[in-house]
Amino acid sequence: MEALARGLDVLACFDADHRSMSLTEVATAVGLARPTARRLLLTLEELGFVRSSGGAFQLTPKVLTLGMAYVGALGLWDIARPHLEALVARTGESSSMAQLDGADIVYVARVSVPKLIALRVDIGTRFPAVLTSQGKVLLAALPPDRLAATLAQPSRSGLPTRTDRTPEQLHEELTEVRARGWALADEELAPGVRSVAVPVRDRDGVVQAAMNVTVHAAETTTDQLLGEHLPLLLRAAGEVGAEWALWQSRPHVQLPRPSGSATA
């Protein structure tokens, strides 16, 4: 189990700023001895998750299967994709879906359009929840005890989580988000980035994800975002939730027991 944990740490140490790393850099980033890091990298290379060239290691596209297995198991991506594409076609703006992981949001689906916004977002991208519209929607859906515990966790996004709001102001904002059903983030994550998000609920009505529309503040005013794009976003999220509920209610095939297994 320790080797598995270390192997996952090795995969996680690669990011947009560290696409190619030497053995020493990997060992330092993960806090391992060089021989241990080397064994892990060679194993990951044999499994197809890492490749090496000229003494440097890079991730391979096979790593995507780890994240997409999670999304595929939920049924979310196949359901959300056509709705995200239709929403983007109508708004001319990028749209994403994210879920909460600790104090961060993690993107599980995205359809983007070329824009001036200098903010790279891919499947698996992690941002501090308190600075994003999707994060506010997901935080607002938590019960008080879980909300407090979540906000107490450090972000693993590598980005600063500084906010101008006091804890009291944040709680007031989340209460308002919960009541009205949508959240706005106006240049909180990065200059020029403005977005609105709404919840996506499962068949039990529990908020499991959030969908957003992201615009450039210099191109789209807050009034335009809320008046023109928000109604379309609310409709799309409702359709995704309804289809997801049907998917969750479908019969699941029970896998056959291995021969010789004990019966209950």
Side-chain angles (χ1 to χ4, degrees):
M1 295 302 293
E2 184 178 357
L4 173 60
R6 288 176 171 178
L8 293 174
D9 287 341
V10 168
L11 293 177
C13 78
F14 292 88
D15 57 28
D17 297 322
H18 303 87
R19 298 179 183 276
S20 181
M21 302 176 70
S22 67
L23 170 60
T24 299
E25 290 172 330
V26 171
T28 300
V30 185
L32 297 173
R34 278 173 52 91
T36 302
R38 182 176 183 275
R39 288 195 300 271
L40 290 169
L41 285 166
L42 291 178
T43 300
L44 291 169
E45 184 174 19
E46 184 177 349
L47 293 172
F49 292 108
V50 170
R51 60 170 170 260
S52 60
S53 176
F57 294 87
Q58 303 92 29
L59 298 182
T60 72
K62 188 176 180 180
V63 173
L64 292 173
T65 62
L66 298 176
M68 292 312 295
Y70 167 73
V71 177
L74 290 176
L76 261 179
W77 172 235
D78 287 336
I79 291 170
R81 177 169 51 188
H83 295 284
L84 289 172
E85 291 173 345
L87 181 62
V88 169
R90 296 188 69 180
T91 64
E93 306 290 353
S94 299
S95 181
S96 307
M97 178 179 287
Q99 293 185 292
L100 196 63
D101 182 22
D104 300 324
I105 61 165
V106 177
Y107 283 76
V108 297
R110 179 167 173 82
V111 176
S112 61
V113 295
K115 284 288 178 179
L116 298 174
I117 302 176
L119 188 66
R120 176 164 184 165
V121 178
D122 298 302
I123 303 299
T125 294
R126 180 182 292 269
F127 289 135
V130 294
L131 301 182
T132 67
S133 59
Q134 290 175 306
K136 293 176 187 179
V137 165
L138 295 169
L139 290 172
L142 297 178
D145 56 340
R146 283 191 57 196
L147 176 59
T150 298
L151 292 176
Q153 296 182 46
S155 170
R156 292 187 285 135
S157 66
L159 298 175
T161 58
R162 184 178 64 257
T163 175
D164 295 332
R165 296 183 300 275
T166 65
E168 292 75 17
Q169 290 172 328
L170 176 59
H171 280 280
E172 289 178 3
E173 181 178 10
L174 295 179
T175 298
E176 185 177 354
V177 168
R178 189 181 307 112
R180 71 189 180 193
W182 55 268
L184 176 71
D186 194 359
E187 300 189 83
E188 297 174 43
L189 182 63
V193 179
R194 176 177 290 155
S195 68
V196 63
V198 301
V200 177
R201 302 177 185 274
D202 63 16
R203 64 178 179 180
D204 298 318
V206 179
V207 176
Q208 297 286 2
M211 280 177 61
N212 79 344
V213 171
T214 302
V215 301
H216 196 294
E219 298 177 347
T220 306
T221 66
T222 301
D223 288 343
Q224 287 176 302
L225 179 61
L226 300 182
E228 299 174 13
H229 299 331
L230 176 57
L232 299 175
L233 176 61
L234 285 166
R235 180 182 302 174
E239 292 170 348
V240 171
E243 291 187 20
W244 191 21
L246 290 175
W247 183 90
Q248 290 177 307
S249 300
R250 72 182 185 181
H252 292 279
V253 177
Q254 185 174 1
L255 297 177
R257 291 178 178 272
S259 59
S261 63
T263 56

